[in-house]
């Protein structure tokens, strides 16, 4: 077992973990944060996306030990006291989800894109959403969310 | 859920400690950088290491810094940082372009340049640009430090010239020649090419004062057992005028010199056809980059 110290959704955490598990496994099974999903398990679909210091990473390829020292954000960290944040409210208002499986990853990707300093260009938005495979085809709606939240500049 | 078989896990604090740990486990140990190749292989059962040596606690291996007119990039430097580096984009454009399409954003945030070339995939996105840029690779192990040309690192699919206890610690990109330009193009199944290359091309041109080609470099990924130089195409271009016709002929010669395979991503015939097109385009793109602006 190893000790991993990191910030999770704004809170300092110190966990004991088996070093042979991925961050995705640790989040879902150890910490019961099931927003991040296993789609492909090999980093191609993005359903496991979490943020490391504000940047999307595929948590299925991160060994839990590599969360050390990071500020990790999962979708569960967005709603303060149960109130959806601006991005989440825009997803709801726009109807930018269907089955919802990729939605945590999409929401975090949009958070990261808007948090990077914007407004993002259309090209940057499309490139960012390329990190999450959505078989339902919600991309036009998610792009509309980005457009709305960046003041229509995209 | 895809799970990893149990392994012994190490976080060495120095290169020396890493080398010692790798040596202690013989062929059963693997160095871990970004994990975007190793962890995938482990999940798919393609690799079953008894020990994983996480290199990321070793300080100082992730910097991009000017050196002797060129640029030194630490082996643990992430692809995302290379892609965002103005210093790389300005004078080592092929590497910058390749970084942008290495994989989806969530992979590029984890993957490292050392891991990519250390993996020695024939589809490597970093190797062809490094070869075009004339890069040297610094390698360290218990036997000390040594340098090798980028072109000499990959010996076959998954095989490098590294000894069992050696790791790549940095790459050095020399100052580019005057009147030179480089480019990287790639095709993959995914839009934007951000997955494993079906064909990858890095190209570089150096012009003389009259605007004739003094030197051409064309390096191809995914059409042979290692990244390959299209030597015949390069030779054809030497002393030629940089015209569309010359580039088209170079593309054809490059394609003829490949030895691609049929695999799940594409047929050999497709790869040959695409090589011909991408080489011509990459040469054109490299020409456009001479004397000026990064893309």
């Amino acid at each position: 077992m190893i000790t991993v110290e990191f910030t999770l959704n704004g809170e300092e955490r110190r966990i004991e973990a088996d070093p042979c598990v991925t961050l995705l496994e640790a989040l879902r099974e150890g910490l019961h944060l099931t927003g991040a999903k296993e789609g492909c398990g090999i980093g191609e679909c993005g359903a496991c996306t979490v943020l490391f210091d504000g940047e999307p990473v595929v948590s299925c390829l991160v060994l839990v030990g590599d969360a050390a020292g990071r500020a990790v954000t999962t979708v569960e960290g967005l709603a303060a006291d149960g109130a959806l944040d601006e991005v989440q409210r825009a997803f709801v208002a726009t109807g930018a989800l269907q089955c919802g499986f990729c939605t945590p990853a999409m929401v975090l990707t949009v958070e990261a894109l808007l948090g990077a300093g914007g407004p993002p260009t259309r090209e940057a938005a499309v490139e960012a959403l390329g990190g999450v495979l959505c078989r339902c085809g919600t991309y036009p709606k998610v792009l509309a969310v980005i457009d709305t939240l960046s003041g229509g500049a995209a | 859920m895809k799970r990893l078989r149990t392994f012994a896990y190490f976080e060495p604090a120095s290169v020396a400690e890493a080398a010692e740990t790798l040596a202690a486990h013989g062929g059963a140990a693997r160095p871990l950088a970004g994990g975007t190749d190793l962890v995938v292989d482990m999940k798919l059962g393609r690799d079953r290491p008894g020990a994983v040596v996480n290199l990321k606690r070793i300080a100082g291996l992730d910097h991009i810094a000017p050196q002797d007119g060129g640029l030194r990039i630490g082996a643990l430097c992430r692809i995302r940082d290379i892609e965002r580096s103005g210093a790389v984009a300005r004078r080592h454009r092929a590497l910058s372009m390749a970084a942008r399409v290495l994989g989806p954003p969530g992979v590029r945030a984890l993957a490292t340049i050392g891991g990519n070339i250390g993996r020695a995939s024939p589809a490597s996105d970093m190797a062809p640009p490094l070869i075009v840029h004339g890069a040297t690779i610094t390698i360290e192990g218990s036997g000390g430090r040594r340098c090798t040309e980028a072109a000499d690192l990959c010996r076959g699919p998954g095989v490098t010239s590294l000894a069992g206890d050696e790791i790549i610690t940095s790459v050095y990109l020399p100052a580019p020649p005057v009147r030179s330009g480089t480019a990287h193009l790639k095709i993959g199944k995914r839009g934007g090419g951000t997955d494993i290359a079906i064909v990858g091309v890095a190209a570089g041109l150096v012009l003389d004062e009259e605007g004739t080609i003094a030197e051409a470099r064309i390096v191809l990924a995914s059409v042979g057992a290692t990244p390959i130089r299209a030597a015949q195409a390069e030779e054809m271009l030497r002393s030629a005028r940089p015209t569309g016709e010359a580039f088209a002929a170079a593309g054809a010669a490059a394609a003829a010199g490949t030895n691609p395979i049929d695999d799940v991503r594409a047929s050999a015939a497709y790869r040959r056809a695409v090589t011909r097109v991408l080489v011509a385009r990459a040469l054109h793109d490299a020409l456009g980059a001479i004397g000026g602006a990064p893309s």
Side-chain angles (χ1 to χ4, degrees):
Chain A
M1 297 297 268
I2 57 172
T3 303
V4 189
E5 291 182 349
F6 60 109
T7 306
L8 177 59
N9 296 328
E11 249 185 68
E12 301 290 319
R13 301 297 295 262
R14 185 188 158 88
I15 62 170
E16 298 299 308
D18 174 352
C20 303
V21 307
T22 62
L23 179 60
L24 178 65
E25 222 174 310
L27 288 169
R28 290 184 58 84
E29 298 178 0
L31 296 167
H32 308 296
L33 297 171
T34 53
K37 309 279 186 253
E38 182 181 65
C40 68
I42 54 172
E44 294 184 358
C45 76
C48 66
T49 298
V50 302
L51 303 184
F52 264 14
D53 306 315
E55 287 261 41
V57 299
V58 286
S59 66
C60 72
L61 298 185
V62 178
L63 294 186
V64 64
D66 278 331
R70 296 289 200 170
V72 180
T73 308
T74 68
V75 69
E76 293 88 350
L78 301 178
D81 302 319
L84 299 181
D85 82 353
E86 190 186 20
V87 172
Q88 290 170 310
R89 291 199 310 274
F91 266 72
V92 172
T94 309
L97 62 154
Q98 291 186 44
C99 80
F101 194 81
C102 75
T103 304
M106 283 288 197
V107 168
L108 288 171
T109 297
V110 173
E111 300 272 358
L113 181 68
L114 297 177
T121 61
R122 174 80 171 189
E123 193 184 42
V126 167
E127 202 268 336
L129 296 189
V132 182
L133 295 185
C134 170
R135 195 61 181 82
C136 296
T138 62
Y139 298 103
K141 294 278 194 166
V142 181
L143 287 170
V145 165
I146 293 168
D147 202 46
T148 301
L149 293 177
S150 50
Chain B
M1 181 174 283
K2 289 186 174 72
R3 302 182 195 275
L4 301 170
R5 288 169 166 239
T6 301
F7 48 88
Y9 176 72
F10 300 93
E11 293 184 347
S14 68
V15 175
E17 206 185 318
E20 225 176 272
T21 312
L22 288 169
H25 287 87
R30 296 286 178 272
L32 173 70
T36 53
D37 279 325
L38 178 62
V39 176
V40 174
D41 283 346
M42 288 169 70
K43 284 198 177 183
L44 296 178
R46 294 201 286 230
D47 203 351
R48 293 167 188 193
V52 170
V53 182
N54 187 346
L55 302 177
K56 297 191 292 299
R57 302 296 173 269
I58 303 170
L61 294 185
D62 60 354
H63 302 320
I64 300 175
Q67 181 188 317
D68 301 328
L71 212 58
R72 184 161 295 279
I73 301 178
L76 296 182
C77 197
R78 293 192 163 87
I79 303 302
R80 260 306 220 193
D81 295 328
I82 292 171
E83 139 196 3
R84 288 170 174 165
S85 162
V88 176
R90 266 189 300 279
R91 299 191 308 154
H92 301 100
R93 182 171 178 265
L95 190 70
S96 184
M97 291 174 76
R100 255 175 263 156
V101 294
L102 184 134
V107 165
R108 304 202 307 274
L110 297 171
T112 67
I113 187 168
N116 185 264
I117 59 176
R119 174 68 172 81
S121 167
S124 168
D125 292 306
M126 294 284 96
L130 288 173
I131 295 167
V132 164
H133 291 308
T136 51
I137 316 295
T138 301
I139 294 164
E140 292 183 44
S142 57
R145 179 181 296 175
R146 63 187 181 89
C147 278
T148 188
E149 297 288 313
D152 287 338
L153 182 70
C154 179
R155 296 290 169 88
V159 181
T160 64
S161 58
L162 298 179
D165 69 341
E166 288 183 316
I167 63 169
I168 298 162
T169 53
S170 67
V171 308
Y172 178 70
L173 301 160
V178 290
R179 284 185 304 274
S180 68
T182 63
H184 172 268
L185 294 177
K186 165 189 180 183
I187 204 160
K189 289 183 89 78
R190 222 153 142 153
T194 56
D195 61 353
I196 296 174
I198 290 175
V199 173
V201 177
L205 290 172
V206 186
L207 302 185
D208 64 21
E209 283 152 351
E210 285 85 48
T212 301
I213 297 170
E215 191 189 345
R217 287 189 188 171
I218 303 167
V219 184
L220 310 175
S222 297
V223 290
T226 66
I228 61 180
R229 294 280 294 257
Q232 205 189 349
E234 293 177 348
E235 184 54 42
M236 280 174 64
L237 289 170
R238 196 161 302 130
S239 306
R241 301 292 301 172
T243 62
E245 290 78 23
F247 295 161
T258 61
N259 186 27
I261 58 170
D262 297 322
D263 71 8
V264 291
R265 281 175 288 279
S267 66
Y270 180 78
R271 288 190 156 103
R272 245 183 240 109
V274 167
T275 297
R276 181 184 181 136
V277 171
L278 282 193
V279 165
R281 279 190 197 164
L283 288 165
H284 185 79
D285 201 322
L287 180 71
I290 293 178
S295 74

